[in-house]
Amino acid sequence: MIWQLARVVDRDADRLTLAFSAPETCERCARGAGCGAGVLNRMFTRHESRLVVPARLAVSAGEHVRVGLEPGHLALAAGLHYGLPLAAFLVGAAAGHTAVAGSPLRDAAALAFGFVGFILVARFVSRRLQPTLNPVVEHLSCSPDDTNSFSSE
C-alpha cells in the first residue's frame, strides 16, 4: 500500500471530504527526493488536494486519517490520466504532420493537431474513465506531527 496522511475537512451522512497537504510540506520533497508531486504542484499552484470518499469511519471534521492505495490501482489511474492524453498528442501530431505534407505550415499543423488530440482525450478521460481506486481510510488515534501533516485551522 502507498499511504498518505489527510485531514477530514467535511463529513455528512455518507461522505467524507479529505484534504491532503501540499507537497512542499513534505520533507522528502524539500530535499528533492520525493515522488515529484511537488514539481507538478508548483506548476499549477495548488495548495491542497481534496478527495471525497464513502464515510465508513466514525471520524469528525478536523481529525486526521491515513489513506492507502494499492500500487496497481494507482498505476492504472496514472496511465489513464497521463498516458492516454500523451498518446493522443503523439497520434494527432503525426496526423497533422502527414495531413499537410509539403506545406511550410507542416510543423504548426502537427502541433495544433497534437494539442487538439490531447485536449479531447484528456477531457474524455477526466469525465468518462474514472478508475475505481478503492482507497483504504484508517483513523489516526492522535494528531500526527510529522512533516506531511496539517496545522490546525
Side-chain angles (χ1 to χ4, degrees):
M1 284 280 200
I2 298 171
W3 294 98
Q4 174 82 32
L5 297 176
R7 181 175 41 89
V8 179
V9 292
D10 189 30
R11 181 191 173 94
D12 62 23
D14 58 343
R15 294 179 308 150
L16 292 176
T17 302
L18 306 175
F20 297 88
S21 64
E24 63 266 8
T25 63
C26 172
E27 187 177 302
R28 291 186 66 207
C29 288
R31 288 193 320 258
C35 65
V39 173
L40 293 174
N41 187 62
R42 282 189 293 279
M43 287 174 56
F44 299 108
T45 64
R46 290 177 22 192
H47 298 289
E48 68 179 17
S49 299
R50 293 192 176 209
L51 176 68
V52 177
V53 296
R56 297 183 186 131
L57 291 175
V59 292
S60 303
E63 292 189 75
H64 289 85
V65 295
R66 72 179 191 156
V67 181
L69 289 174
E70 290 291 336
H73 293 157
L74 187 59
L76 173 64
L80 288 174
H81 286 277
Y82 297 112
L84 288 180
L86 174 61
F89 175 82
L90 295 173
V91 168
H97 202 259
T98 315
V100 291
S103 169
L105 299 175
R106 188 176 192 181
D107 292 338
L111 185 60
F113 277 56
F115 185 67
V116 168
F118 176 87
I119 294 297
L120 291 175
V121 171
R123 282 186 169 193
F124 174 77
V125 167
S126 70
R127 292 181 180 161
R128 304 278 186 219
L129 295 179
Q130 296 295 326
T132 305
L133 296 176
N134 295 322
V136 175
V137 180
E138 295 180 354
H139 183 260
L140 295 176
S141 59
C142 59
S143 280
D145 91 28
D146 68 10
T147 59
N148 201 25
S149 64
F150 288 91
S151 59
S152 315
E153 288 184 353

